Amino acid sequence: MTADPPRPGPAPAPAPAAATAGPASATATAGSTPTAATTGPTPTAASGGPGAPGRANRRRRRWHRLAVPLGLAALLITATLVAHAVDQPDPTEPGFLSPVATDADGGSRLAADLRARGVAVRRETDTARALLATSGGAATLFVPAPGLLHPETVGALRDLPGRTRLVLVDPPRRVLEGADLPLVPAGRRWAARAVGPDADGRPCPLPEAARAGVAAVERQRYAVAPDRSTGRVERCYAGGLARVPQTETVVVGASDPFRNDRIDERGNRELAAGLLGRTGQVVWLDLDGPAPPPRPGDGSSDEPAWSPHPEPGDGDAAGDGRSGDAGAGDSAGSGSRGGTGRADRPSPPNPLWAAFPAWFWALLAQLTLAALLLALWRARRLGPPVAEPLPVVVRSAETVLGRARLYQRARARGPAAGTLRAAALTRLLPRLHLPADPPPTTVAAAVAARAGGTTAQAHTLLYGDAPATDRELLDLARALDRLTRTVAATPDPRPADAGPPAPAPADTGPAPAVAPRPRPAPSKEDPR
Amino acid sequence: MTWRAAALLAAGAVTLPLWPAPFAGVALMTVAVLGLTALDWALAAPLAAISAARDGDRRVRLGGTATVTLRLANASARTLRAQVHDDWVPSAGARPDLPPGRLVRVEPGDTVALPTRLTPLRRGDRPAAALTVRSYGPLGLAFRQRAGRPGTPPWTLRVLPRFDSRRHLPEKLSRLRVLAGTQVARGRGEGTEFDALREYVAGDDVRSIDWRASARRADVLVRTWRPERDRRLVCVLDTGRTSAARIGDEPRLDTYLDAALLLTALAARAGDRVDLIAADTVLRAAVTGAGRPALLARLVDAVAPLQPALVETDFGLIAGEVLRRERQRGLVVIFTALEAGALGEGLLPVLPRLAARHRVVVAAAHDPVLAALTRDPPTRPADAYAAAAAFRALAERDRVRAALARHGVTVVDAPAAHLAPAVADTYLRLKALGRL
């Protein structure tokens, strides 16, 4: 058995071929949808129901807010997975692509179709006999479930007679390697897709595929093995079908074209019949479960030379010595699909046990217990952690500093320079005894007269262009700072007629904090 | 169980090589240690019989150290050997006199005092959080400990503001005494409130002769004036979001408190009646200055637990509260931040109502960092940007000042360290001008 969940209800029942997996999946989803519908309203009814306190109610509702969507999603995913598992056939099931099985997974319709075309279908349930049967002449060996082949018989597939065609359905990697095919699995789809033979743009040289046209082949894709790129490989259906002409082996990535339930769709029937019916005889290997290991001793002397035991010793003795109870299990019932021999073997005692004396392990155990006690002691806190509301740590100048950083990041040199110039003017005008909004030429002249330099320089400084670089902005800021300091420090040339008391330079010295910003002194007075 | 049980087990493990059956030895020793531990646990003093109580200081000024003593009484019949952990909130700065790891031993029926010294880091109420007693057995292998047993005796230490501006008080009081005329001879101009009539003596200002009164009497009488007394002063503390921002090392609210306390001390000495209101969206504290002697103490106690709330201040509520409480005309000092958003949308709409009835002063503390940004010569491009941002902030503040001044409001805008003396000076000036 594989890891797939066990198939529920309808599949094992011998349903008619028409009652296919499609409706089965529909019932599965339909069966799960009411579950969602019933679980949906239940929590809402519970939350809206009894007069629980608002807080508990709110907490429960908050819990619901997380649980309901997640639960719905989980339900949807589960339903999808179950539906998929039901829909996709299990190659390890007995009756999968069997020429005598008439249910959805069976291959009875294909067998009947082949017979109708005059192809002899020979069903074999034993690997060795199937191999023997192919040795007669031109035949096609059809292996619907290569995964069930015993690892030791896979090697025999490469030694088939030259005119035998081998058709493998969805072979796993180990079979590809065992059969020495230059192919590797390259990506697997969620479900089979019907594509044209030359879907990936490459022409398909296989005449059967060209006849069949679109078929549901692309599920497992195959690519040429990177280290074996020498052999010629024909790939069709976007890699879903590959033929190795050297050994006349055809690998099909999906079981859909052969299955009873899908054989009628698109060109499935034509493709399956074409692949199998070319040689006029089909040896159909119908395995019920994992094939038993080959027994080289039994059988007639004309056995093909595919002995899987290359050891020089006697095959019988080697077989007994290697797998004692595996052989016993096989003789008890070859049809039992239990575990293979290897899993049943008891593991030998760990040699590490014997490497140290018993007291060492006891010491280790006791020290572990002591460490556990230590952990228990440390786990109990002496009092709970104490919580306390913390004061705000934001500085009150934080907005100003943040704005400065924004200016810098935005390279807002123009606005920054404008602000600096406006502030400098605000500070200069009262000291120069100028009105509130004087013409620039007047200001420039007054500044030049008071602080030195030319009128043009002062004009450029106070009313010039916006700086283009940070360096220029810094120079401008420095020049404005120097100017205001100079004007503040230079004695007023006409102190007598000054209406508002111009601050004397001596005043600005000891109190630099307020010096550059002459607040209008009367503002503290009563304006009325 | 304790580390001793683990150590016992680990020590026993060393003897294991000598045991004939080591794993049996492990089982035996484990059972023995666990049995001893259980016995020890059973012999530990029961926690239900332990009771705790506290006494000590209730108030301490910020920066000072208070002592609160925890008394553990052992009413059980067994000796209590316990580790006692008396948790306070972290900002209470609690240091127990007994080192935390030391075992406390209390004989049956006895009581032990465990003093804790608290040096709080912040103003406000600092509560005791949780008391944990871990009662060990006589072997020290196991202990009993349970949350809430004995129950934590509640205790709250109120940390009062530091009142750093006390040092300005003597100077302001001496200026007040000059105003009141107790140091300098009384004369006209030293007050606006009519005090009394007295006979003219040579040297009095002839302008203060009350001719009508002189005509009624046969003497020349002069009027004397004195500074106003019994005026109303309301300190309004804005505890909203703008008061939470830090200036230097403390929130802006602490600066307000400092200035309000200095103003209160000064006004109480000047004979004015001081009320205090602290509010943001709700009224946080209200003190009415009825009993003058204990006013300052009551005020300090009322404002100590105030904490800034991160909400927008409702100045409508404040104005309503002031108008409801103060019928007479008085001086309303609003401690807030000069912030265009907060004041423009909050205070300015209600200001006309307030200014019509009272004289309003807005006292705001600003960050000296701002002034430093505009003052220092820039050395890096970042400094130039910072200076531009600072100038812009100052310009915004000036706009707010101008808007407030249009309503006849006096604005005191000072660096945080100088707010208290600046507000006191404003008060003294208004008092001297008789504008209260």
Side-chain angles (χ1 to χ4, degrees):
Chain A
M1 296 296 265
T2 62
D4 286 343
R7 177 183 296 215
T20 56
S25 72
T27 44
T29 42
S32 58
T33 320
T35 332
T38 45
T39 50
T42 318
T44 21
S47 67
R55 196 160 157 202
N57 214 350
R58 205 176 325 132
R59 195 181 312 147
R60 206 161 23 162
R61 227 175 294 139
R62 197 180 306 152
W63 181 78
H64 284 161
R65 207 159 48 195
L66 200 66
V68 168
L70 284 184
L72 280 178
L75 204 67
L76 199 64
I77 291 172
T78 313
T80 312
L81 287 179
V82 168
H84 182 254
V86 169
D87 186 42
Q88 290 299 322
D90 182 5
T92 58
E93 285 280 321
F96 172 74
L97 284 192
S98 165
V100 295
T102 53
D103 60 356
D105 290 350
S108 60
R109 300 178 68 191
L110 174 62
D113 192 67
L114 285 172
R115 286 199 190 93
R117 292 176 189 225
V119 178
V121 176
R122 178 174 169 189
R123 173 176 178 250
E124 288 292 348
T125 55
D126 184 67
T127 316
R129 295 175 60 155
L131 290 169
L132 272 177
T134 59
S135 60
T140 301
L141 177 58
F142 180 43
V143 187
L148 296 178
L149 288 175
H150 194 274
E152 292 170 1
T153 54
V154 171
L157 293 179
R158 78 178 88 142
D159 299 328
L160 289 175
R163 288 158 63 204
T164 305
R165 165 178 270 199
L166 175 63
V167 177
L168 299 172
V169 177
D170 194 6
R173 182 186 289 268
R174 72 171 174 88
V175 172
L176 292 175
E177 286 170 357
D180 199 26
L181 295 175
L183 296 172
V184 285
R188 192 174 180 86
R189 281 177 53 80
W190 173 250
R193 182 169 67 154
V195 291
D198 42 5
D200 54 353
R202 260 175 302 190
C204 179
L206 212 62
E208 295 92 334
R211 261 203 307 280
V214 175
V217 181
E218 189 195 356
R219 179 154 190 246
Q220 175 68 53
R221 285 185 288 266
Y222 294 97
V224 181
D227 52 338
R228 310 263 315 261
S229 53
T230 52
R232 201 162 71 86
V233 174
E234 297 166 359
R235 289 170 69 231
C236 301
Y237 295 105
L241 187 146
R243 173 168 173 263
V244 184
Q246 205 177 351
T247 53
E248 193 51 40
T249 303
V250 178
V251 174
V252 185
S255 62
D256 293 43
F258 308 99
R259 265 177 15 223
N260 279 347
D261 53 347
R262 293 279 155 92
I263 194 167
D264 284 335
E265 298 173 8
R266 307 290 185 112
N268 284 355
R269 179 189 296 272
E270 195 60 39
L271 178 71
L275 284 177
L276 298 183
R278 204 188 63 151
T279 52
Q281 190 197 1
V282 175
V283 178
W284 194 309
L285 182 56
D286 182 13
L287 293 173
D288 275 354
R295 270 160 295 177
D298 82 351
S300 53
S301 59
D302 60 345
E303 193 155 337
W306 52 271
S307 164
H309 297 297
E311 295 106 310
D314 192 320
D316 221 345
D320 282 345
R322 277 180 75 250
S323 52
D325 18 24
D330 285 339
S331 63
S334 63
S336 80
R337 272 172 277 120
T340 54
R342 258 171 239 170
D344 300 343
R345 223 177 294 151
S347 59
N350 194 336
L352 205 62
W353 282 112
F356 293 97
W359 61 261
F360 174 80
W361 300 108
L363 187 81
L364 220 56
Q366 188 152 343
L367 286 180
T368 312
L369 285 174
L372 188 72
L373 286 189
L374 213 60
L376 284 176
W377 166 58
R378 294 299 291 168
R380 188 86 166 102
R381 291 185 54 103
L382 189 56
V386 179
E388 184 187 23
L390 289 175
V392 171
V393 293
V394 177
R395 306 282 313 269
S396 98
E398 197 60 47
T399 47
V400 173
L401 297 176
R403 191 195 297 263
R405 285 192 288 270
L406 271 182
Y407 275 162
Q408 187 164 19
R409 188 169 302 175
R411 301 194 176 85
R413 300 182 192 104
T419 311
L420 287 174
R421 282 171 170 148
L425 278 177
T426 318
R427 287 187 286 175
L428 286 174
L429 292 183
R431 293 179 187 277
L432 298 173
H433 309 297
L434 290 171
D437 202 8
T441 48
T442 322
V443 179
V447 165
R450 182 81 168 267
T454 66
T455 311
Q457 276 173 349
H459 191 274
T460 314
L461 182 59
L462 287 173
Y463 300 98
D465 295 333
T469 62
D470 278 358
R471 187 76 228 168
E472 284 180 39
L473 177 69
L474 181 59
D475 290 341
L476 175 74
R478 278 188 182 150
L480 286 174
D481 183 66
R482 218 176 303 123
L483 177 68
T484 45
R485 279 168 200 277
T486 316
V487 170
T490 317
D492 202 338
R494 28 168 197 170
D497 62 337
D507 279 354
T508 60
V514 284
R517 280 182 46 78
R519 285 275 160 63
S523 79
K524 285 191 179 176
E525 302 292 333
D526 185 16
R528 284 185 290 185
Chain B
M1 51 215 63
T2 67
W3 64 270
R4 290 188 197 211
L8 200 60
L9 206 56
V14 179
T15 67
L16 274 173
L18 308 176
W19 287 67
F23 280 98
V26 171
L28 199 66
M29 279 191 276
T30 309
V31 168
V33 167
L34 289 182
L36 275 178
T37 308
L39 180 73
D40 202 37
W41 183 86
L43 288 179
L47 291 172
I50 314 294
S51 58
R54 272 186 224 272
D55 53 32
D57 297 337
R58 289 273 184 190
R59 280 174 182 73
V60 66
R61 204 168 276 287
L62 181 61
T65 297
T67 308
V68 175
T69 307
L70 176 77
R71 295 188 188 280
L72 275 188
N74 182 8
S76 72
R78 300 183 199 139
T79 303
L80 171 71
R81 295 168 203 81
Q83 218 173 336
V84 180
H85 196 68
D86 189 13
D87 257 334
W88 291 70
V89 290
S91 64
R95 272 179 294 108
D97 277 7
L98 197 72
R102 189 80 58 81
L103 283 191
V104 176
R105 203 181 157 90
V106 192
E107 298 300 329
D110 210 354
T111 304
V112 69
L114 301 167
T116 300
R117 301 198 184 281
L118 299 137
T119 313
L121 309 173
R122 291 204 299 273
R123 180 182 56 76
D125 282 346
R126 303 283 146 227
L131 172 69
T132 313
V133 175
R134 183 176 276 193
S135 167
Y136 286 91
L139 297 176
L141 287 177
F143 58 79
R144 300 186 185 198
Q145 178 188 341
R146 199 159 156 199
R149 186 169 287 185
T152 308
W155 195 267
T156 303
L157 184 69
R158 179 156 289 183
V159 185
L160 308 177
R162 207 188 325 245
F163 197 11
D164 278 338
S165 56
R166 259 178 311 178
R167 62 177 192 274
H168 297 291
L169 196 54
E171 185 249 339
K172 306 296 174 203
L173 281 178
S174 72
R175 282 179 55 191
L176 186 70
R177 278 194 291 274
V178 171
L179 274 183
T182 47
Q183 283 182 346
V184 182
R186 283 188 181 177
R188 189 182 161 88
E190 295 292 354
T192 52
E193 193 173 86
F194 176 74
D195 188 12
L197 289 169
R198 61 172 173 79
E199 290 176 10
Y200 177 83
V201 293
D204 276 345
D205 190 351
V206 290
R207 285 176 298 175
S208 60
I209 293 174
D210 187 342
W211 294 110
R212 189 175 300 179
S214 304
R216 268 190 255 118
R217 299 270 299 271
D219 219 344
V220 180
L221 295 180
V222 291
R223 289 183 195 184
T224 57
W225 306 84
R226 64 164 189 188
E228 301 146 317
R229 290 181 71 83
D230 286 320
R231 293 297 154 143
R232 300 295 182 117
L233 172 63
V234 189
C235 294
V236 177
L237 296 174
D238 168 13
T239 58
R241 61 172 182 89
T242 54
S243 69
R246 268 178 186 261
I247 296 180
D249 205 18
E250 55 181 16
R252 202 178 248 151
L253 181 60
D254 287 20
T255 313
Y256 298 163
L257 286 183
D258 200 40
L261 288 180
L262 180 66
L263 188 59
T264 306
L266 197 59
R269 202 67 68 87
D272 288 338
R273 180 195 151 128
V274 185
D275 293 351
L276 182 134
I277 292 173
D280 35 76
T281 51
V282 292
L283 197 65
R284 300 281 174 188
V287 181
T288 45
R292 261 180 207 153
L295 172 65
L296 196 64
R298 269 198 307 131
L299 202 72
V300 167
D301 202 44
V303 299
L306 282 181
Q307 295 298 337
L310 296 183
V311 293
E312 196 70 63
T313 306
D314 181 3
F315 281 101
L317 170 85
I318 289 177
E321 201 62 36
V322 170
L323 292 174
R324 190 174 64 75
R325 285 162 183 270
E326 309 296 328
R327 304 277 174 200
Q328 303 179 23
R329 186 172 171 81
L331 175 67
V332 177
V333 184
I334 303 176
F335 292 92
T336 183
L338 277 187
E339 206 163 286
L343 290 193
E345 288 165 23
L347 182 58
L348 283 181
V350 300
L351 200 53
R353 266 201 300 154
L354 209 55
R357 284 273 298 277
H358 299 286
R359 174 145 197 94
V360 181
V361 172
V362 170
H366 67 243
D367 199 334
V369 172
L370 219 59
L373 286 180
T374 62
R375 191 180 61 230
D376 299 341
T379 54
R380 294 171 302 151
D383 292 345
Y385 287 111
F391 276 126
R392 192 181 152 141
L394 290 178
E396 266 173 21
R397 225 166 57 190
D398 284 344
R399 270 206 298 284
V400 176
R401 286 171 66 112
L404 290 174
R406 271 201 296 281
H407 290 279
V409 171
T410 308
V411 178
V412 181
D413 184 17
H418 300 120
L419 181 68
V423 171
D425 286 344
T426 309
Y427 167 75
L428 288 175
R429 194 172 60 245
L430 288 173
K431 198 164 180 64
L433 293 172
R435 294 263 171 79
L436 284 188

